[in-house]
Amino acid sequence: MERAKGAETAAEARAFVFLLLDRFSMIAFAAAIEPLRVANRMARRELYSWRLVAEDGAVATCSNGTRVMVDDGFADLDKDAMVIVCGGLDIAHTATRGALTWLRKQARRGVGMGAVCTGAWALAKAGLLEGVRCTIHWENRESFREEFPDLRLSNRYFERDGARWTSSGGAAASDMMLAMINEEQGRDLAAMVVDQLALTPLRAAADEQRLSVPARMGVRHPKLTEVIRRMEANIEEPISPAVLAEESGMSTRQLERLFRRYLDRSPKRYYMELRLQRARNLLLQTDMSVINVALACGFTSPSHFSKCYRSQYDRTPYRERGVADAAPATRG
């Protein structure tokens, strides 16, 4: 990988510092750094420089096991620099106290802050996303909402709000960086970078993550897709199939037939799978108690939750966490 060396960087180059948290996403990191390299190449001058930092100042390991040598540990930065926090798996634990303290200190110095993949969680935990719009990978949205209920979370590929930039997972990091290049250097250069990297045309910040229900599931029936959207939006307080059918102008029997035809399961079974998938994400991505996870996913009885979870995943919620099961009163 080409690396910009600080001593050789032109005075006007915009400095980026990539904070690589343990088990960071390689694809999100590459999608963020490569547009800067290509922008320099297309402009035939060094518009951007970058350094990699990690807590130990030596090496960072990404989620696929690859080890990346870094340039530095947690040193103070020039106020004109821009930190990009690269997160990945188990962000609640890899965003260490040392990393959060360093982020707060650099923000107080006026350093800009950005994040890719789950890096937004670290910025939120450091108190650096209060009062601004932000986004995170769709898989982490619900756990993020539970942890930071007062933050303005969107479902967009990336967000820019003042000096804060956040992007969702994977290749969406390139959309965020291309938006920066477009803003600072103009659309012509941004378009050249898109062409060189064989990316799709520039996506706007208003574009949302995940495919629509029809595209994601291959379901084209308008009433069925509307019911699925309603289910996805009402996990904590599930709506009965009878009410869902009535709201969609169908009988309960018609709704049953639609689910059997397109999804090979009943509405009740499909809804339960949605709730259990949400529960599994919360168990794996947050420190919420099992009881609170159950309540957040519409289960009023811990024993019923445990029974349903074990039926779906062949393990109890407590085993999912890798800890011993709770007392028999909370087991299914």
Side-chain angles (χ1 to χ4, degrees), residues 265-314:
R265 52 179 53 77
S266 70
K268 184 178 179 180
R269 180 68 245 169
Y270 182 83
Y271 210 166
M272 176 62 74
E273 290 173 359
L274 278 181
R275 293 162 58 199
L276 291 171
Q277 180 60 59
R278 178 74 54 80
R280 186 168 188 267
N281 287 342
L282 293 176
L283 288 169
L284 295 175
Q285 297 170 10
T286 75
D287 291 324
M288 292 172 62
S289 70
V290 171
I291 291 175
N292 284 338
V293 169
L295 293 173
C297 297
F299 295 92
T300 57
S301 164
S303 61
H304 179 55
F305 171 53
S306 184
K307 180 180 179 180
C308 294
Y309 197 94
R310 184 167 56 192
S311 177
Q312 179 73 13
Y313 296 113
D314 198 30

Side-chain angles (χ1 to χ4, degrees), residues 39-156:
N40 286 349
R41 180 183 171 206
M42 294 296 98
R44 298 180 180 273
R45 61 191 180 93
E46 203 156 271
L47 300 171
Y48 300 104
S49 65
W50 53 87
R51 289 189 297 137
L52 312 183
V53 303
E55 189 160 11
D56 69 0
V59 67
T61 304
C62 71
S63 56
N64 64 22
T66 301
R67 293 162 61 84
V68 176
M69 294 183 64
V70 302
D71 302 299
D72 206 351
F74 291 161
D76 286 341
L77 306 175
D78 186 90
K79 67 178 182 179
D80 294 326
M82 177 79 175
V83 170
I84 302 293
V85 183
C86 300
L89 298 177
D90 199 18
I91 187 65
H93 296 102
T94 61
T96 64
R97 180 178 300 179
L100 299 179
T101 298
W102 181 74
L103 288 170
R104 293 187 192 104
K105 183 177 181 182
Q106 301 317 304
R108 287 196 299 269
R109 293 168 58 86
V111 174
M113 293 284 159
V116 299
C117 197
T118 60
W121 194 98
L123 292 184
K125 192 67 173 178
L128 302 179
L129 293 181
E130 295 178 4
V132 302
R133 292 186 312 277
C134 60
T135 190
I136 198 167
H137 190 276
W138 62 264
E139 189 178 35
N140 302 89
R141 280 176 52 78
E142 296 308 319
S143 59
F144 190 94
R145 282 193 185 280
E146 292 289 341
E147 185 78 20
F148 311 106
D150 297 327
L151 294 187
R152 298 166 57 193
L153 181 65
S154 82
N155 191 42
R156 295 175 175 178

